[in-house]
Amino acid sequence: MSIRALRIWEHGEVETVQLPDTHAAQIRELAHLVGGPTDTGMYHRQAVLHIHGTGAQAQHLQFNASAWALASAWRGLGNTYGLYGPVVVTGPGDFEGGYGALSSHLEAQVHDVCAAVSDVHAEWRTRPPAGEAAARAELMAATRHQFSAT
């Protein structure tokens, strides 16, 4: 049996991936999916973000605006640090150390937020943001709009 998870690519695409059901195999697969050792972040009590764990910015991985916006909205504020590289989202851990599947509601939020962030990026091609603070505010506004719609 496998666990369904979502990988958010740096450009905003969301990919469904299957994780093995044993903890050790999950750790190996998560490292493969994010491109290196993983750290976990709890931004929602029913979800875990698995991120690149060795100083991803220093390794010149691309900023993942979709994962950042999702984590910020789940946490209820704009994070002061970025998320870099691909990010895998699973359900919470279990008592045996493995991770479970996301609820369908949270899966929908991941897809909706990534689509909203992609739409904002498309708008920026003709109307760039005034600066980093304005860009973050615009991404958060688009994300909050998606949350209020679901």
Side-chain angles (χ1 to χ4, degrees):
M1 187 173 125
S2 62
I3 306 298
R4 182 178 156 126
L6 299 176
R7 177 169 33 183
I8 304 171
W9 288 100
E10 298 94 316
H11 51 77
E13 181 184 338
V14 179
E15 174 187 13
T16 301
V17 296
Q18 300 296 322
L19 294 177
D21 61 351
T22 62
H23 178 62
Q26 281 183 356
I27 297 301
R28 284 191 301 275
E29 185 63 18
L30 285 166
H32 171 74
L33 292 171
V34 301
T38 60
D39 279 340
T40 57
M42 293 290 297
Y43 298 95
H44 190 285
R45 59 193 169 129
Q46 296 175 341
V48 178
L49 271 64
H50 304 271
I51 60 176
H52 197 284
T54 59
Q57 186 175 14
Q59 292 187 359
H60 306 293
L61 296 177
Q62 186 178 355
F63 178 66
N64 192 323
S66 296
W68 173 86
L70 180 70
S72 296
W74 277 348
R75 189 174 229 183
L77 52 105
N79 285 330
T80 57
Y81 56 90
L83 297 176
Y84 294 83
V87 173
V88 177
V89 186
T90 66
D94 60 25
F95 293 112
E96 298 172 6
Y99 297 98
L102 281 174
S103 69
S104 59
H105 174 72
L106 291 181
E107 276 196 34
Q109 280 187 347
V110 170
H111 285 282
D112 291 347
V113 166
C114 290
V117 169
S118 290
D119 290 346
V120 170
H121 280 150
E123 290 176 21
W124 287 349
R125 289 187 194 108
T126 57
R127 182 200 44 81
E132 184 177 342
R136 287 178 184 255
E138 194 169 345
L139 289 174
M140 289 309 301
T143 300
R144 286 189 188 105
H145 177 74
Q146 287 304 315
F147 277 24
S148 67
T150 57

